[in-house]
Amino acid sequence: MKLSWSAYGWAAVAIGLHLAFNHRYSYYRDEFYFIDCAKHLAWGYVDQPPLAPLVAWLSAPSHYALWVLRFPLAILSGLTVLIGCAITREFRGGAFAQGLTGLVLAVAPGYLGQGYALSTEFLTPLAWSLLIYLSMRLVVTANARLYLLMAAVVTAGLYAKYSIAALVLALAVALSCTGKARLARSWYLPLGALAVGLLMLPNLAWQYAHHWPILEVVHNDQLNRHALANGIAVESPKLVVNALYFLVMQIVYQHPILSVVWIWGLVALIRAPQYAPYRYLPLAYWLLVVFMILTVARGYYLEGFYPTLFAAGSVAIERTLATRASWIRPAVIAVAAGSAAFMLPLALPVLPLPLYMKYEVAIGLSRPAPPDGRRHLIDPMYADQIGWDGMTQTVARVYNSLPAGLRAKTAIFADRYAYAGALDFYGPGYGLPPVISPNNSYYLWGTRGYSGNPMIAVGATDYPLLLASFGSVRQVAVYRNDYRWMLEGPLPIYLCTHPRGALADLWPRFKYYGL
């Protein structure tokens, strides 16, 4: 059974939406970091595998133009729709079910967001869905050669983000617990596992050579969870509290109304007779939920599983409506599309910023906030794409105010990777030298030979360390941007002089792996 025309239609919608709007604002903080990593290509990085920086590297000939950087994400969003519809077809879904699956995957907030800005999650929905689809084919056909294709998918997924290993383990346990252990009795399975191991060896060797920094990143990220400026929190360092946030965000990211489809699918996979061969899927899902809760995961870490649940739900709804009036099916599609359109501006910048802020006010999201009672931009994803050039200009004014002879030996220090990446991206246009930072892979790139006398330090996080490391730490400027209120307040800039030792010797005390 072939995919229906609606599957291809919604795939085209997904691609078209991203190509039309994903370059409307500016770069997201992680994208600056990936661009700098792309200038230091390696088999690994402190906080990530190398695939996202490689995607950034592909845009280098365009000088990292935003639409070029994000073009692959648009294509991947369309492919995710097609794989979701292929899973729907595997569940014996017809044109309506495939159309409903395609619609949801094209416009659900979680998938719009992951297809919008480059992150380590950029391949997760496609890779997870493709691995699940291949596992379904394995169950139905018992064709052990599929293990080789699965190995290729797992390898690609691991080079994007290590979390696909959790899906592999969950699927393996679930298959064994549902009477399908016989599928493992093939030499193709160890051959595929060996292939993954060999292909991942360069990255594992890099992590080993650098003392497994990813483990420190994960630990620090679990501790570094904060509410946004308006008090809203979607994560917490506390296991129980974070578990509640995690479960709620499974509804929010999938859209509160469209979530009816995946919940319906999860129930159907457990209870409906036609899903009997696939009983391992809901078990794998719940194993992952438990794992994510116990590891204090963020809410979007499970996004890769939902195309499968949406597919199952779409087929279950199609079967339920089979004997109902003919007008009900288009009505369901219309309700789904209408509800998705209502939340579309929150996940993709389809509106210019001034109009979008009016939209936030109209839906009650943006309200007067202390201390001045003003309304602010609330969407943190959008807020994090604004003001980077202005920050760089402020730093450049401080740098250029120094005597010419002093500037040549002045280091610019950014306490976190976001500021470092933005300063490296925009800084050359204002005469700034390459930045140094103790955060993540920047730490490994070192002090670039600077003595630290003097040093311009951007950011308040390392202020106590600056005081302990320099004889003089003087605030010389502050950068403010009201659009960034949701994420951060004024950004202080310090002039540090008289270091208490060579900067290279002081460097280890500043090291921080994590967000």
Side-chain angles (χ1 to χ4, degrees):
M1 184 168 53
K2 297 180 179 180
L3 292 180
S4 70
W5 65 267
S6 59
Y8 294 102
W10 285 114
V13 168
I15 294 172
L17 281 171
H18 285 93
L19 292 181
F21 299 112
N22 69 4
H23 56 284
R24 167 156 270 165
Y25 297 156
S26 188
Y27 298 86
Y28 175 61
R29 67 173 56 209
D30 287 5
E31 292 172 316
F32 291 122
Y33 180 42
F34 297 145
I35 289 171
D36 266 353
C37 289
K39 298 173 184 176
H40 300 80
L41 282 181
W43 281 106
Y45 299 92
V46 165
D47 52 337
Q48 63 191 343
L51 196 53
L54 183 60
V55 171
W57 176 82
L58 294 174
S59 67
S62 71
H63 302 288
Y64 307 102
L66 189 58
W67 76 268
V68 178
L69 180 70
R70 294 176 176 175
F71 179 83
L73 310 183
I75 302 303
L76 290 175
S77 68
L79 292 176
T80 300
V81 170
L82 293 180
I83 293 299
C85 291
I87 295 173
T88 306
R89 180 191 61 189
E90 199 65 26
F91 285 137
R92 301 294 180 236
F96 170 81
Q98 292 181 42
L100 182 57
T101 300
L103 186 161
V104 170
L105 295 182
V107 297
Y111 300 111
L112 284 172
Q114 290 191 352
Y116 169 30
L118 182 60
S119 75
T120 54
E121 296 281 349
F122 81 99
L123 197 59
T124 295
L126 180 61
W128 282 43
S129 298
L130 188 53
L131 183 60
I132 291 172
Y133 172 75
L134 291 172
S135 77
M136 294 169 65
R137 294 298 302 156
L138 178 66
V139 166
V140 172
T141 66
N143 181 1
R145 286 175 294 183
L146 288 168
Y147 281 124
L148 301 182
L149 288 176
M150 295 169 77
V153 173
V154 171
T155 301
L158 287 170
Y159 268 106
K161 186 166 185 175
Y162 300 122
S163 59
I164 196 172
L167 175 63
V168 172
L169 182 60
L171 289 174
V173 172
L175 285 165
S176 297
C177 292
T178 52
K180 296 178 176 61
R182 58 181 171 75
L183 295 172
R185 298 169 192 158
S186 168
W187 64 273
Y188 281 107
L189 177 56
L191 181 61
L194 178 62
V196 173
L198 290 175
L199 290 169
M200 287 301 299
L201 194 58
N203 177 252
L204 295 175
W206 190 97
Q207 282 286 331
Y208 173 79
H210 293 83
H211 311 292
W212 302 100
I214 190 66
L215 300 179
E216 188 174 342
V217 170
V218 171
H219 174 72
N220 287 335
D221 282 354
Q222 290 174 343
L223 299 178
N224 188 26
R225 306 288 177 84
H226 305 289
L228 298 169
N230 64 352
I232 293 177
V234 297
E235 55 191 30
S236 169
K238 299 178 180 179
L239 189 147
V240 174
V241 177
N242 192 73
L244 295 175
Y245 290 144
F246 179 86
L247 294 173
V248 169
M249 295 312 292
Q250 304 316 300
I251 304 294
V252 173
Y253 286 134
Q254 272 53 253
H255 193 291
I257 294 177
L258 300 182
S259 287
V260 171
V261 180
W262 76 257
I263 293 172
W264 196 325
L266 182 61
V267 173
L269 282 169
I270 295 171
R271 299 182 59 182
Q274 69 267 23
Y275 292 124
Y278 308 114
R279 293 283 189 253
Y280 72 96
L281 291 174
L283 177 57
Y285 173 79
W286 285 115
L287 287 171
L288 284 167
V289 169
V290 172
F291 173 78
M292 298 288 182
I293 288 174
L294 293 178
T295 55
V296 199
R298 290 184 165 90
Y300 58 83
Y301 285 6
L302 201 52
E303 284 296 295
F305 210 99
Y306 287 101
T308 300
L309 299 184
F310 277 124
S314 296
V315 176
I317 291 171
E318 182 180 63
R319 290 173 179 264
T320 299
L321 300 181
T323 58
R324 307 297 175 114
S326 59
W327 61 267
I328 296 181
R329 290 189 181 190
V332 169
I333 296 294
V335 169
S339 62
F342 178 75
M343 287 188 66
L344 184 63
L346 294 171
L348 195 68
V350 296
L351 301 176
L353 189 58
L355 186 57
Y356 172 76
M357 293 189 68
K358 292 180 180 179
Y359 166 82
E360 283 193 341
V361 172
I363 65 175
L365 192 61
S366 179
R367 300 177 181 180
D372 54 9
R374 297 176 60 189
R375 296 180 185 270
H376 299 273
L377 175 63
I378 299 301
D379 192 312
M381 184 69 175
Y382 296 162
D384 209 23
Q385 296 175 66
I386 297 171
W388 297 114
D389 187 52
M391 177 202 71
T392 305
Q393 291 182 45
T394 303
V395 174
R397 282 195 292 270
V398 173
Y399 180 78
N400 291 319
S401 70
L402 299 175
L406 195 60
R407 284 200 301 269
K409 60 179 182 178
T410 299
I412 298 180
F413 170 100
D415 63 7
R416 289 298 179 262
Y417 72 85
Y419 309 132
L423 288 166
D424 270 345
F425 186 80
Y426 292 111
Y430 301 103
L432 295 181
V435 178
I436 62 173
S437 173
N439 191 198
N440 296 346
S441 291
Y442 287 101
Y443 173 78
L444 298 180
W445 302 334
T447 61
R448 302 183 187 272
Y450 287 109
S451 68
N453 190 28
M455 186 175 85
I456 296 171
V458 180
T461 305
D462 285 345
Y463 181 67
L465 289 173
L466 293 174
L467 290 176
S469 303
F470 290 84
S472 173
V473 178
R474 180 167 57 92
Q475 183 173 323
V476 291
V478 62
Y479 174 67
R480 293 178 174 86
N481 190 306
D482 190 55
Y483 285 120
R484 298 185 61 82
W485 172 85
M486 191 67 169
L487 295 172
E488 59 195 18
L491 182 70
I493 300 168
Y494 307 99
L495 181 63
C496 307
T497 56
H498 306 299
R500 306 183 195 278
L503 185 58
D505 296 332
L506 297 172
W507 198 238
R509 70 171 63 178
F510 286 94
K511 185 189 83 168
Y512 180 75
Y513 288 168
L515 294 180

